[in-house]
Amino acid sequence: MLHFLWDSIPLQTVLIFLFVFLLIADYMKNRNPKNFPPTPFRLPFLGHIYLIDFKDPPAIVEKLSKRYGDIFGVQMGNMKFVMVNGIRLVKEVLVNQGDKFLARPDIPIDEEVFSRTGLISSTGHLWKAQRRFTLSTLRNFGLGKRSLEERIQEECRYLTDAFRDEQGKPFNPQPKATNAVSNVICSLIFGNRFEYHDEDFQSLLKLIHDTTVLHGAITSQLYNNFPSIMKYLPGAHQTIFKNWKLLKNFMQEQINKHKEDWNPSESRDYIDSYLLEISKDHDSGTFQEEHLTACTLDLIVAGTETTSSTLRWALLFMVTHPEIQARVQAEIDAVIGQARPPALEDRNNLHYTNAVIHEVQRKGNVIPFNVPRMATEDAYVDGYYIPKGTIIMANLTSLLFDKNEWENPDTFNPEHFLKDGKFWKNEYFQPFSMGKRACLGELLARSELFLFFTSLLQKFTFQAPPDTTLSLKPLLGIAMAPQPYKICAVPR
Ligand code: HEM
Ligand SMILES: *[C@@H]1O[C@H](CO)[C@@H](O)[C@H](O)[C@H]1NC(C)=O
């Protein structure tokens, strides 16, 4: 009987029925709860992927924020995002209600790479313990102390020597600048720096750079939305997985070397201190070698690309604004002179230079949408309902480029940070984010940027190679870096 009924229904009808069923299931699963922030029409199964302009992925949000204002929802595959704009709401989610948004989302690529360990991708108790330990250990090794300042000054000397070796001819400053920046964090983690001509370390840095750029690739985005399909397809995500394995192997080697001559009573660096913590951590599992690998890798990745990109933006802006460069040099000559290296104390007297560095960070906008957060409980923001598990993107760009706050946000102008000739810090300047999960390396990054920048401008004038125009268009990746370029460092 049943068999007969089945035979009498044409295949077409079955397919249509199945399709309608899936459509309804998709709708039920993905429909927004009551009071959810405004969300554009979503396609069944695909969400808002149709809105992406594959030639210019950030353009989608541009369009949406124009239409929907300061808070709106977007869905990509299985992930629901809420974008938050403007100082009032960004502060609301990162500070006032910060405790509800301290987690990181389950982003498929990160999960595959870090399995939610380390500093950047971990959440809850594990995150809190790693962060607390890391901050106090970095402090012990001189973060905010004189010894670290000397370490950076020493690296500034290596970098200026290396730039001088280029004899004013056009060169790409990226490899050396990145190596210098990375050495500061490496000396805290491993207790040693790497020579700029060390090919193994150079290829490691290039691997980190290439991999972070790949995170912005279309196939990586597709993997995040449809991991179960993309897993079987080629693309940037496969290279990312391969590269992170290599990076982890490098870290594991460094850790093994430390274990060979480890002396529990005398910590030389971050790895030694972490090994001690592992030996004290009997059964909680919070401090394990796997987590140590992830933490060290996170510190290098978070600390290298961001700071190096900012430094390269700084050189680029000096080349494109020679009159600003000349004023910085005049101020350095008047306050420091040529005889001694710049010190952090000089920051209080270098108002113009300090304003320039802040303007580089503002206009460089290296982490435009912050690092994604996730709601750990249901919340209300600006009257909208944000269910637990929603991904929150705080648009830092909307602060750094606020039209009402900055005189001319799209122009590079140090006057944005000056009042009556004195350096003046603006509340809208938040490139390191805000609240309890803001950048862990802010102090280190700001010390590095100041010392590297002033040391370089003390010794060189930067110029574009003859007959070249340098592009200010950013490269998309985890961090917004300038396009690779060549410049001339002319000794002063
Ligand atoms: C110009 C340089 C830098 C910029 C613009 C920057 C910016 C940021 C931003 C926006 C976040 C996300 C914070 C959030 O979720 O609210 C972050 C996180 C982080 N940064 Fe930085 N950063 C810089 C340099 C550094 C350096 C030098 C280090 C090395 C110690 C570092 C280590 C970290 C770590 C470990 C995190 C994750 C913190 C967590 O999840 O608890 N950063 N950074
Ligand atoms: C972020 O803010 C900038 C500047 O206000 C705006 O142009 C952009 O569309 C915003 N993006 C999102 C994701 O809302």
Side-chain angles (χ1 to χ4, degrees):
M1 172 70 191
L2 257 175
H3 183 253
F4 168 76
L5 195 68
W6 187 244
D7 276 351
S8 70
I9 305 176
L11 184 64
Q12 237 175 350
T13 315
V14 174
L15 286 180
I16 289 173
F17 179 77
L18 196 69
F19 182 71
V20 171
F21 174 78
L22 285 176
L23 214 61
I24 294 172
D26 178 71
Y27 172 77
M28 298 296 282
K29 181 168 154 260
N30 290 307
R31 82 187 147 157
N32 285 334
K34 215 169 147 236
N35 274 331
F36 192 74
T39 304
F41 170 77
R42 62 175 293 283
L43 278 180
F45 315 120
L46 296 174
H48 293 121
I49 220 127
Y50 74 97
L51 291 167
I52 298 184
D53 175 352
F54 281 102
K55 282 192 218 90
D56 183 15
I60 165 189
V61 278
E62 199 86 17
K63 272 183 267 171
L64 295 179
S65 73
K66 278 218 181 78
R67 197 155 100 212
Y68 293 96
D70 281 350
I71 178 164
F72 59 89
V74 185
Q75 182 155 1
M76 296 288 170
N78 289 326
M79 293 191 287
K80 259 195 212 313
F81 293 87
V82 166
M83 302 279 182
V84 176
N85 282 289
I87 190 132
R88 187 176 61 88
L89 293 186
V90 167
K91 227 175 173 175
E92 182 70 17
V93 295
L94 294 180
V95 183
N96 301 353
Q97 298 197 53
D99 285 350
K100 297 176 190 158
F101 303 104
L102 280 180
R104 299 278 185 216
D106 315 299
I107 292 185
I109 270 199
D110 297 349
E111 219 157 316
E112 182 69 30
V113 172
F114 289 106
S115 22
R116 310 187 60 70
T117 58
L119 289 159
I120 305 175
S121 328
S122 60
T123 282
H125 168 72
L126 188 63
W127 163 70
K128 211 175 256 172
Q130 311 295 315
R131 182 164 170 123
R132 191 182 303 133
F133 168 80
T134 301
L135 274 170
S136 80
T137 306
L138 293 186
R139 212 171 292 128
N140 286 344
F141 287 112
L143 194 62
K145 282 197 201 142
R146 185 108 199 128
S147 54
L148 184 73
E149 179 174 0
E150 281 161 11
R151 189 61 272 291
I152 304 175
Q153 284 171 325
E154 182 194 0
E155 198 61 50
C156 289
R157 218 159 38 241
Y158 283 113
L159 188 63
T160 43
D161 286 349
F163 276 19
R164 196 171 296 113
D165 290 345
E166 304 287 345
Q167 301 178 324
K169 297 199 193 84
F171 75 109
N172 176 357
Q174 179 168 358
K176 285 168 180 166
T178 307
N179 198 330
V181 162
S182 197
N183 273 345
V184 175
I185 190 88
C186 284
S187 66
L188 286 165
I189 298 175
F190 308 129
N192 63 276
R193 64 181 292 277
F194 296 88
E195 296 291 344
Y196 302 156
H197 51 72
D198 179 333
E199 277 172 28
D200 289 342
F201 191 63
Q202 278 297 336
S203 45
L204 184 92
L205 290 176
K206 187 166 178 318
L207 195 66
I208 294 178
H209 174 78
D210 293 349
T211 310
T212 54
V213 172
L214 284 176
H215 275 263
I218 302 295
T219 38
S220 311
Q221 300 304 318
L222 286 174
Y223 181 89
N224 281 335
N225 291 300
F226 311 102
S228 46
I229 303 171
M230 289 305 289
K231 194 160 66 180
Y232 300 104
L233 299 178
H237 53 292
Q238 305 289 8
T239 317
I240 290 177
F241 299 148
K242 202 181 79 216
N243 290 1
W244 283 113
K245 267 206 197 90
L246 292 172
L247 292 168
K248 280 185 190 165
N249 288 345
F250 168 84
M251 244 10 115
Q252 194 57 54
E253 259 171 49
Q254 300 286 333
I255 294 168
N256 290 344
K257 266 191 228 154
H258 275 70
K259 287 205 298 206
E260 276 165 24
D261 51 8
W262 180 55
N263 175 1
S265 59
E266 194 192 337
S267 272
R268 294 161 294 187
D269 47 41
Y270 181 83
I271 294 183
D272 274 358
S273 304
Y274 204 109
L275 289 172
L276 188 64
E277 208 63 29
I278 294 176
S279 73
K280 288 192 291 188
D281 184 36
H282 295 301
D283 43 25
S284 84
T286 309
F287 293 96
Q288 302 174 12
E289 223 171 290
E290 184 202 349
H291 299 171
L292 169 57
T293 315
C295 284
T296 48
L297 208 47
D298 277 356
L299 286 170
I300 292 188
V301 170
T304 302
E305 276 296 306
T306 44
T307 318
S308 161
S309 298
T310 310
L311 197 56
R312 283 179 288 128
W313 277 123
L315 298 180
L316 197 53
F317 285 128
M318 290 307 95
V319 170
T320 49
H321 298 78
E323 70 294 348
I324 294 176
Q325 175 168 216
R327 263 188 83 177
V328 170
Q329 288 169 327
E331 191 182 52
I332 292 172
D333 290 351
V335 174
I336 303 172
Q338 286 288 336
R340 66 167 179 91
L344 287 175
E345 241 177 35
D346 294 320
R347 203 158 21 182
N348 303 326
N349 301 316
L350 292 171
H351 292 275
Y352 189 76
T353 306
N354 201 13
V356 167
I357 295 171
H358 281 73
E359 182 67 355
V360 167
Q361 281 208 272
R362 186 192 71 79
K363 188 81 194 340
N365 189 18
V366 165
I367 314 277
F369 303 122
N370 202 13
V371 179
R373 303 285 195 91
M374 188 180 72
T376 48
E377 53 185 286
D378 293 352
Y380 280 90
V381 174
D382 213 26
Y384 292 115
Y385 173 59
I386 315 272
K388 177 179 170 175
T390 308
I391 303 176
I392 298 283
M393 305 290 285
N395 186 356
L396 299 179
T397 316
S398 69
L399 275 55
L400 298 174
F401 287 76
D402 189 299
K403 286 197 177 57
N404 300 319
E405 190 57 31
W406 309 96
E407 208 169 288
N408 202 344
D410 293 324
T411 310
F412 181 83
N413 182 3
E415 299 297 327
H416 285 140
F417 291 95
L418 290 166
K419 233 181 202 159
D420 306 322
K422 294 235 181 307
F423 173 73
W424 169 76
K425 188 150 167 181
N426 186 321
E427 189 199 11
Y428 286 67
F429 178 80
Q430 300 291 354
F432 297 101
S433 178
M434 287 186 265
K436 288 190 194 152
R437 201 164 186 170
C439 178
L440 178 154
E442 174 172 352
L443 197 61
L444 180 60
R446 294 187 42 232
S447 307
E448 286 191 58
L449 287 175
F450 178 77
L451 292 174
F452 279 119
F453 182 71
T454 47
S455 304
L456 288 173
L457 288 203
Q458 182 188 38
K459 298 296 178 197
F460 304 99
T461 300
F462 291 92
Q463 293 167 354
D467 308 317
T468 19
T469 326
L470 298 176
S471 163
L472 290 174
K473 209 170 160 292
L475 254 184
L476 291 175
I478 284 183
M480 286 228 289
Q483 312 266 349
Y485 61 80
K486 283 190 174 176
I487 46 166
C488 306
V490 180
R492 299 182 58 203

